[in-house]
């Protein structure tokens, strides 16, 4: 038995969709997407296929398979939140027209592994969850429909076998600046974490959570 | 919340427009939304959700317990009186339980909260309810050609205008239409969230009913003639599902026929077919509407 392993093998999941919006935190009202998928969005996609409190997903790389293209959509939104103390919101009174700058025709390969957390029980082991994930991802099963940043941008997904056709990332290299890594929920308030992202031949390397590159 | 649905659903809605504007673009002076690179028309997810809400509000009446609509449009109101007050069932709870009680109350009372979810001002950070139903942008099958029509009104708004025209009293206006377009929208129902909001089989059937009839109660000068043409539902026999959604959607083929007669001008210029033989095990097909 190799239940001593603390890390799963690294999976490759191809995800794609018509649109995506990985919203930049500094531009949340009129949403503007990052150029590429954030590690936190990639984690969300994996968690919508398989997640238990016993595991934590860690993204290692994100490959960008399609050229980065944009689309602007302006929609009527409501600028307030619901309260059980009111019996409704009239959209005419709360209307806000907001534009969004979304990505268009996107496809990525997420490289990720998971590790066990301290909440893992006696019967939880890496192999069990590995097999569950492979089974689900191969069959197209999911806990909820994965999405690309916002729920209206549903994602298709498939497990990439290493011997399958090779999906080549785009040939683009540039610095993407500081990018949201993920949210830290350990404190009383969720806090953002950042990392310096760069595209190297269409590939983004994502540092592990405990590395010096992740700034709180 | 015991009667929540136990199946994952992936669905496709086909709807068409004739001489109307299905969804105006506020950025382009209310022209029909269009993807400038491909010329395909676009109808946003929120546009369709609005129509579902309006249909349910009309079909279920204003005070039908459990089927009220929270995000309302004044146009479809039937004299609802808004009263802001603390709900008894929420007020009696301890502080820690208040958030959950409020959430449950909202899900129980409002169809749209139960179906689409909501962001609420409960708890420390706004409490979130994720609803089971997810709609995507609808896109037209072929590129669309928006037409611009100049129209006249035999009246003016102000005295000053009347004087300027020496009593001619005419105003020019513009309206935009699409001569014909067939749109396709993909949607998903995640049963795992249905458990959390109490979205039941009855709610699901109401959702299908709303998708079939949403344009019948949304007539206006701008819309022209719109109708749901097909609603194709893939039902999985489990919560997690049994097949890739994209593979199921690929079984639905839309073919342009009569192309030699020129551009498409009616639904009979398209043939929508489903390859039922290739359905995965554990997935069944429900055609909720077949015209």
């Amino acid at each position: 038995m190799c239940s001593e392993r603390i890390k799963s093998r690294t999976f490759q999941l191809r995800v794609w969709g018509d649109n995506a919006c990985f919203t930049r935190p500094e531009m949340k009202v009129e949403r503007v997407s990052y150029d590429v998928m954030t590690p936190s969005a990639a984690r969300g996609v994996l968690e919508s296929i398989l997640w238990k409190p016993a595991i934590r997903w860690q993204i290692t790389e994100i490959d960008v398979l399609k050229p980065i293209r944009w689309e602007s959509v302006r929609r009527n939104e409501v600028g307030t939140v619901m309260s059980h103390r009111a019996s409704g919101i009239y959209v005419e009174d709360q209307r806000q027209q907001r534009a969004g700058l979304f990505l268009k025709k996107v496809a990525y390969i997420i490289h990720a592994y998971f590790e066990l957390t301290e909440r893992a029980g006696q019967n939880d082991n890496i192999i069990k969850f590995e097999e569950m994930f492979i089974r689900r991802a191969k069959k197209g099963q999911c806990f909820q429909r994965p999405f690309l940043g916002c729920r209206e941008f549903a994602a298709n997904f498939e497990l990439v076998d290493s011997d399958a056709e090779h999906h080549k990332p785009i040939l683009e290299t540039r610095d993407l600046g500081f990018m949201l890594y993920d949210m830290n929920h350990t404190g009383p308030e969720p806090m953002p974490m950042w990392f310096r992202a760069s595209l190297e031949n269409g590939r983004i390397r994502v540092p592990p959570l405990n590395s010096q590159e992740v700034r709180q | 919340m015991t009667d929540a649905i136990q199946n994952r659903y992936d669905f496709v809605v086909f709807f068409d427009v004739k001489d109307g504007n299905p969804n105006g673009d506020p950025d382009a002076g209310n022209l029909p939304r269009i993807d400038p690179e491909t010329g395909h028309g676009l109808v946003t997810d929120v546009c369709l959700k609005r129509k579902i809400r309006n249909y349910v509000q009309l079909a279920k009446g204003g005070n039908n317990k459990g089927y009220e609509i929270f995000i309302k449009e004044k146009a479809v109101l039937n004299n609802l009186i808004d009263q802001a007050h603390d709900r008894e069932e929420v007020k009696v709870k301890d502080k820690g339980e208040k958030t959950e009680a409020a959430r449950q109350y909202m899900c129980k009372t409002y169809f749209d909260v139960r179906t689409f979810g909501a962001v609420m001002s409960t708890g420390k950070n706004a409490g979130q309810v994720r609803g089971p139903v997810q709609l995507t942008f609808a896109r037209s099958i072929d590129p669309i050609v928006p037409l611009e029509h100049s129209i006249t009104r035999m009246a003016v708004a102000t005295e000053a205008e009347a004087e300027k025209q020496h009593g001619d009293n005419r105003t020019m206006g513009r309206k935009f239409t699409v001569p014909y377009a067939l749109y396709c929208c993909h949607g998903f129902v995640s049963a795992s969230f249905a458990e959390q909001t109490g979205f039941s089989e009855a709610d699901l059937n109401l959702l299908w009913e709303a998708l079939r009839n949403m344009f019948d109660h949304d007539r206006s000068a701008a819309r022209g003639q719109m109708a749901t043409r097909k609603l194709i539902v893939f039902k999985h026999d489990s919560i997690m599902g049994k097949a890739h959604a994209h593979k199921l959607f690929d079984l639905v083929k839309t073919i342009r026929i009569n192309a030699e007669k020129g551009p498409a001008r009616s639904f009979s210029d398209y043939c929508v077919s489903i390859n039922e033989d290739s359905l995965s095990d554990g997935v069944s097909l429900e055609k909720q509407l077949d015209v």
Side-chain angles (χ1 to χ4, degrees):
Chain A
M1 280 296 285
C2 48
S3 58
E4 301 306 303
R5 280 196 304 156
I6 49 161
K7 266 191 203 176
S8 76
R9 51 178 260 217
T10 299
F11 297 105
Q12 293 184 37
L13 190 78
R14 188 168 77 95
V15 295
W16 71 99
D18 277 346
N19 291 91
C21 181
F22 310 109
T23 311
R24 291 173 177 270
E26 68 272 26
M27 293 189 251
K28 277 175 87 161
V29 176
E30 298 242 307
R31 292 186 195 94
V32 177
S33 176
Y34 279 115
D35 293 14
V36 295
M37 185 182 229
T38 60
S40 70
R43 176 181 59 85
V45 168
L46 294 164
E47 286 180 355
S48 31
I49 299 169
L50 174 77
W51 182 78
K52 291 275 193 313
I55 61 171
R56 186 185 75 82
W57 282 103
Q58 173 67 55
I59 318 293
T60 57
E61 276 168 11
I62 297 173
D63 297 349
V64 183
L65 304 181
K66 286 200 172 162
I68 296 164
R69 289 160 56 208
W70 301 90
E71 180 165 38
S72 165
V73 177
R74 186 176 291 272
R75 293 180 287 183
N76 290 328
E77 299 185 15
V78 164
T80 179
V81 291
M82 289 186 184
S83 163
H84 62 87
R85 285 192 287 279
S87 60
I89 295 171
Y90 294 111
V91 287
E92 290 86 351
D93 303 339
Q94 303 288 347
R95 175 155 296 166
Q96 297 185 347
Q97 287 199 335
R98 295 179 179 177
L101 197 56
F102 306 142
L103 294 166
K104 189 166 131 171
K105 295 279 176 215
V106 296
Y108 305 98
I109 290 184
I110 303 168
H111 301 247
Y113 64 85
F114 61 81
E115 51 196 11
L116 292 181
T117 64
E118 64 271 16
R119 294 174 67 184
Q122 289 290 316
N123 306 327
D124 291 330
N125 63 60
I126 293 280
I127 295 174
K128 172 175 126 180
F129 290 125
E130 269 184 350
E131 285 177 356
M132 270 172 92
F133 180 75
I134 292 170
R135 202 164 49 232
R136 285 189 190 180
K138 273 213 165 110
K139 277 191 182 165
Q141 298 181 313
C142 50
F143 178 79
Q144 61 155 311
R145 174 60 20 197
F147 54 88
L148 300 162
C150 303
R151 280 190 80 195
E152 57 267 41
F153 308 132
N156 300 310
F157 63 91
E158 67 176 3
L159 202 59
V160 180
D161 289 331
S162 42
D163 53 352
E165 58 168 311
H166 191 57
H167 296 282
K168 269 201 160 40
I170 52 172
L171 284 173
E172 200 174 322
T173 299
R174 62 191 163 101
D175 186 2
L176 295 167
F178 275 101
M179 186 175 182
L180 182 75
Y181 180 82
D182 210 330
M183 299 299 286
N184 181 356
H185 291 282
T186 52
E189 288 280 329
M191 293 299 283
M193 300 180 284
W194 309 89
F195 79 115
R196 186 87 196 200
S198 62
L199 202 56
E200 282 157 31
N201 290 326
R203 180 165 281 185
I204 300 150
R205 205 182 49 79
V206 181
L209 181 67
N210 51 16
S211 85
Q212 293 296 308
E213 291 174 69
V214 179
R215 322 265 173 104
Q216 300 268 357
Chain B
M1 307 217 179
T2 47
D3 60 349
I5 56 166
Q6 298 297 318
N7 307 79
R8 186 183 117 190
Y9 296 86
D10 303 317
F11 60 92
V12 191
V13 187
F14 285 95
F15 60 91
D16 64 357
V17 57
K18 191 164 175 56
D19 293 324
N21 182 353
N23 185 201
D25 186 348
D27 266 343
N30 210 33
L31 266 158
R33 291 184 190 276
I34 196 164
D35 177 336
E37 281 179 328
T38 61
H40 285 250
L42 204 67
V43 171
T44 58
D45 59 314
V46 287
C47 167
L48 297 172
K49 279 160 118 177
R50 171 81 269 147
K51 300 205 185 334
I52 292 169
R53 284 186 164 109
N54 285 356
Y55 176 83
V56 171
Q57 207 175 341
L58 282 169
K60 288 288 178 183
N63 290 321
N64 199 317
K65 198 93 191 91
Y67 288 100
E68 287 168 47
I69 293 290
F70 196 85
I71 307 287
K72 301 183 179 85
E73 212 174 29
K74 281 184 176 150
V76 293
L77 282 187
N78 24 22
N79 58 34
L80 274 173
I81 302 156
D82 228 18
Q83 285 177 314
H85 58 269
D86 271 308
R87 308 275 167 198
E88 276 310 310
E89 60 230 75
V90 176
K91 236 184 352 199
V92 299
K93 295 275 194 250
D94 294 342
K95 202 169 176 349
E97 292 173 347
K98 264 199 163 67
T99 304
E100 187 48 36
R103 242 187 61 149
Q104 293 223 359
Y105 167 80
M106 294 296 275
C107 287
K108 214 167 62 211
T109 314
Y110 296 103
F111 176 82
D112 54 342
V113 177
R114 213 162 50 232
T115 306
F116 301 129
V119 180
M120 295 196 285
S121 61
T122 53
K124 200 168 179 184
N125 302 315
Q128 268 203 18
V129 180
R130 283 180 298 179
V133 177
Q134 217 170 320
L135 289 173
T136 58
F137 283 7
R139 286 173 190 274
S140 66
I141 304 295
D142 287 318
I144 60 169
V145 182
L147 303 179
E148 183 181 347
H149 311 275
S150 288
I151 49 178
T152 53
R153 178 176 67 168
M154 304 308 286
V156 287
T158 61
E159 285 286 345
E161 273 182 278
E163 272 177 34
K164 219 188 273 174
Q165 299 187 14
H166 310 295
D168 250 357
N169 290 11
R170 275 199 280 192
T171 325
M172 298 295 287
R174 290 151 68 203
K175 73 183 284 186
F176 299 101
T177 64
V178 178
Y180 183 81
L182 179 65
Y183 286 81
C184 168
C185 170
H186 291 166
F188 308 90
V189 185
S190 299
S192 45
F193 289 156
E195 191 67 50
Q196 293 169 27
T197 68
F199 183 83
S200 66
E201 289 288 339
D203 293 332
L204 185 75
N205 288 326
L206 183 59
L207 174 77
W208 300 145
E209 188 187 316
L211 285 167
R212 286 196 306 266
N213 303 321
M214 57 189 172
F215 299 111
D216 293 340
H217 304 278
D218 187 58
R219 305 282 180 216
S220 76
R223 295 275 173 262
Q225 297 172 62
M226 293 185 73
T228 303
R229 290 294 185 168
K230 269 189 193 301
L231 171 57
I232 298 160
V233 181
F234 296 100
K235 178 179 180 177
H236 300 252
D237 64 9
S238 70
I239 286 185
M240 297 283 177
K242 284 285 168 74
H244 281 284
H246 66 271
K247 288 188 177 155
L248 296 176
F249 291 150
D250 285 347
L251 300 178
V252 181
K253 290 263 184 294
T254 314
I255 305 165
R256 181 63 222 287
I257 46 181
N258 311 330
E260 69 283 355
K261 289 187 193 158
R265 285 295 178 262
S266 78
F267 186 60
S268 58
D269 289 336
Y270 287 99
C271 168
V272 178
S273 62
I274 313 162
N275 179 356
E276 294 189 44
D277 304 336
S278 306
L279 267 183
S280 326
D281 287 339
V283 182
S284 57
L285 182 70
E286 293 183 13
K287 279 183 283 210
Q288 293 278 345
L289 181 77
D290 224 8
V291 180

